[in-house]
Amino acid sequence: AEQLVQWSKYPPLGKRSYSGGANTHYAPGGNHALHMKQLNEKTMSIVQIETKQGVENIEAILNVKGIDGVLIGPCDLAISLGRPDDLMHEEELSMIQKVADACLKRALGFGIIGGRAMQEYLKKESSLLVSAIDTALMREGLIQAVREYEQLERT
């Protein structure tokens, strides 16, 4: 988490090197301090938690100044719990809830990289939307289109 902030934020939060041009929306030269402050506010440093150890250390991770949110990787989390094919297991959901609660307590972003069931289950906690697998979105869209077409054929 500390390294992420160092790489993604400008001083005084991080150590990211400064660059003008597109990075500063082609603003005139100078005003480096102002640009760095504005860019630090606009740049989200998001950690991804995918292991039991990550969940166990969530408080320390979120205490790193400059972390703006968390994404959960539920498949890898299930694997780290020894249940690679048991997503939505009570233990995993409890661990994910622990992370969501820690984010809420600090007013940080929370999101999940998961299927529709997982996203539906955590919709109240989620403030970050992630599309991890484009083909899954395309597949769901095609299935919906076929169903709509079949419905038209029946009428």
Side-chain angles (χ1 to χ4, degrees):
E2 290 171 354
Q3 192 170 45
L4 172 65
V5 172
Q6 292 299 307
W7 290 349
S8 62
K9 302 283 186 169
Y10 294 101
L13 291 174
K15 295 182 179 175
R16 181 177 173 179
S17 62
Y18 187 83
S19 175
N23 189 52
T24 58
H25 307 288
Y26 300 100
N31 295 314
H32 297 96
L34 175 64
H35 291 155
M36 289 188 302
K37 179 181 182 299
Q38 290 172 339
L39 290 165
N40 276 349
E41 291 169 358
K42 292 179 181 179
T43 301
M44 292 188 74
S45 298
I46 302 172
V47 295
Q48 188 163 330
I49 303 295
E50 296 187 312
T51 63
K52 181 179 178 181
Q53 182 181 11
V55 174
E56 290 169 349
N57 292 302
I58 195 61
E59 294 294 330
I61 292 168
L62 295 183
N63 283 337
V64 173
K65 186 173 172 64
I67 294 296
D68 299 301
V70 175
L71 292 176
I72 294 284
C75 187
D76 286 320
L77 180 57
I79 291 168
S80 83
L81 296 172
R83 293 187 178 90
D85 296 310
D86 197 5
L87 294 176
M88 304 282 295
H89 185 276
E90 183 179 314
E91 180 184 18
E92 179 180 35
L93 293 176
S94 174
M95 295 187 95
I96 292 170
Q97 190 65 55
K98 176 181 177 177
V99 174
D101 291 345
C103 289
L104 182 61
K105 181 172 76 175
R106 293 170 173 81
L108 298 175
F110 172 80
I112 190 148
I113 302 170
R116 295 186 98 180
M118 185 74 74
Q119 290 180 357
E120 179 68 23
Y121 182 82
L122 293 159
K123 69 182 175 185
K124 291 179 184 172
E125 290 86 349
S126 297
S127 59
L128 300 173
L129 178 63
V130 179
S131 171
I133 305 171
D134 296 351
T135 55
L137 292 173
M138 291 171 30
R139 180 179 180 274
E140 287 180 20
L142 289 170
I143 289 170
Q144 181 179 344
V146 168
R147 287 181 182 151
E148 290 172 4
Y149 178 78
E150 288 172 343
Q151 188 69 17
L152 287 172
E153 287 288 307
R154 288 185 216 138
T155 58

